Amino acid sequence: MASNNRRNTIFPGSDPLTALPHPNKESRPLRDDKTSIGYMTSRRKRLPAIRLPVNPSVSSTEQLPVLSGSPWDLYKKDFSIELGGSVAVVHKKLVTEDLFTIRSFSGQDTDEKLYMLCLLRHESFLLSHEIFFFEGIYFIVSEYMAISLEDLTIARPDEIQLAIIIHQILNGISFLVKQDLTHGSITCSNILMSTQGVVKIAIPEYCSRKSSLVDIVALGCVMKQLMEGPTEAKRSGLQNPGYWSEEAVDFYSLTLSASPKQLAQVSYK
């Protein structure tokens, strides 16, 4: 008799028992749980309304400095990677072994992009530390994040992990709506995650000054890919809704028409 296995990987911060840091508590190891085929029937289980813990990420009120000169005088490149676009992973040459990323832009709308970088110093967005201007190009030095959600679509998060991820993205979109801004590129490749389970929206400099629900619709697309994998992204609706709770399926359906405020009031968070 054929059976289906469900991989249930616990990332740092996604387990309710370990999400809040404790100075004397070591990280719990990853684990794999096999779920019986009975769980994957079309009869969905209903979860109680819960407020899941989220790893704190502090907004920065410090001014973002723009420096004249090459960033390569202070930073050394380790390797290149796709994290919200192509970036160089670097470390400071003399001061620390901590990792950062450097991306660049030039050409038109540079003033607007600099404005957005300074405005969106919020916990839900990739934090920039400093900007270098050299030979007509702006180089943005930002915090390093381990993976994008595009990588996570392969691992397939469980329900608790999914709720925590979506909750953090929704916080960022809600902040944009209050500022009458739209990101316009909410995709799995542009949503980054740290090893502590903190989720950040990348490339904030490309936000535009308009109010739109396009980011909420995009949130639904991200949620669908996390629930069913990247190969299901272009197919309409959920192909296996019985795998998830009623709350998860209902929340996904609301992303097609609801506002960020309405979604924030749903118990699935």
Side-chain angles (χ1 to χ4, degrees):
M1 178 177 178
S3 63
N4 292 334
N5 291 333
R6 178 189 178 196
R7 180 169 179 170
N8 182 18
T9 305
I10 302 299
F11 289 91
S14 62
D15 190 330
L17 300 178
T18 62
L20 297 181
H22 190 286
N24 298 321
K25 188 174 186 179
E26 298 181 353
S27 298
R28 293 174 60 180
L30 303 180
R31 68 173 185 261
D32 289 341
D33 293 333
K34 293 185 177 180
T35 305
S36 66
I37 191 171
Y39 182 84
M40 301 184 64
T41 62
S42 59
R43 184 178 182 181
R44 293 176 287 174
K45 297 182 179 181
R46 186 167 188 85
L47 298 179
I50 56 175
R51 184 175 296 276
L52 295 171
V54 175
N55 280 326
S57 177
V58 180
S59 300
S60 175
T61 57
E62 297 179 359
Q63 186 176 3
L64 181 60
V66 179
L67 309 173
S68 178
S70 172
W72 308 118
D73 292 337
L74 297 177
Y75 293 90
K76 182 178 180 180
K77 180 178 178 180
D78 293 315
F79 55 91
S80 297
I81 194 172
E82 290 289 327
L83 286 172
S86 179
V87 300
V89 177
V90 303
H91 67 273
K92 287 187 176 181
K93 290 183 176 180
L94 300 176
V95 179
T96 178
E97 294 182 355
D98 294 339
L99 295 178
F100 304 87
T101 62
I102 294 181
R103 64 190 187 279
S104 63
F105 61 77
S106 59
Q108 298 179 345
D109 302 325
T110 54
D111 289 343
E112 183 70 8
K113 291 175 181 176
L114 290 172
Y115 172 79
M116 290 297 173
L117 284 171
C118 294
L119 176 65
L120 298 175
R121 295 177 67 73
H122 179 270
E123 64 181 7
S124 297
F125 294 87
L126 188 68
L127 178 64
S128 298
H129 295 292
E130 54 190 354
I131 299 174
F132 290 85
F133 181 69
F134 183 65
E135 296 183 346
I137 301 175
Y138 288 96
F139 297 87
I140 305 95
V141 180
S142 303
E143 62 183 324
Y144 172 74
M145 305 291 280
I147 62 171
S148 73
L149 294 192
E150 193 170 43
D151 302 307
L152 200 60
T153 60
I154 300 174
R156 305 283 293 278
D158 64 21
E159 180 115 352
I160 293 178
Q161 296 160 8
L162 179 68
I164 292 176
I165 291 168
I166 296 302
H167 176 58
Q168 293 182 79
I169 302 172
L170 181 58
N171 280 344
I173 295 175
S174 298
F175 176 78
L176 289 178
V177 170
K178 292 177 182 178
Q179 304 295 323
D180 290 324
L181 299 174
T182 297
H183 188 278
S185 297
I186 298 292
T187 63
C188 285
S189 61
N190 288 331
I191 308 296
L192 310 182
M193 177 183 284
S194 74
T195 54
Q196 288 75 41
V198 175
V199 173
K200 300 281 188 87
I201 300 173
I203 56 172
E205 62 268 26
Y206 288 96
C207 289
S208 57
R209 303 193 200 201
K210 61 181 180 181
S211 180
S212 170
L213 292 181
V214 64
D215 288 341
I216 287 297
V217 176
L219 175 65
C221 293
V222 168
M223 186 174 182
K224 176 179 170 59
Q225 290 183 60
L226 291 173
M227 295 169 80
E228 300 198 326
T231 59
E232 301 293 341
K234 296 182 179 180
R235 301 179 65 177
S236 60
L238 294 175
Q239 305 305 306
N240 298 290
Y243 188 85
W244 304 92
S245 70
E246 290 183 16
E247 285 78 10
V249 175
D250 291 345
F251 187 95
Y252 166 76
S253 299
L254 284 173
T255 62
L256 302 176
S257 60
S259 68
K261 183 177 181 180
Q262 290 171 320
L263 286 176
Q265 295 172 347
V266 177
S267 62
Y268 180 68
K269 61 181 180 176

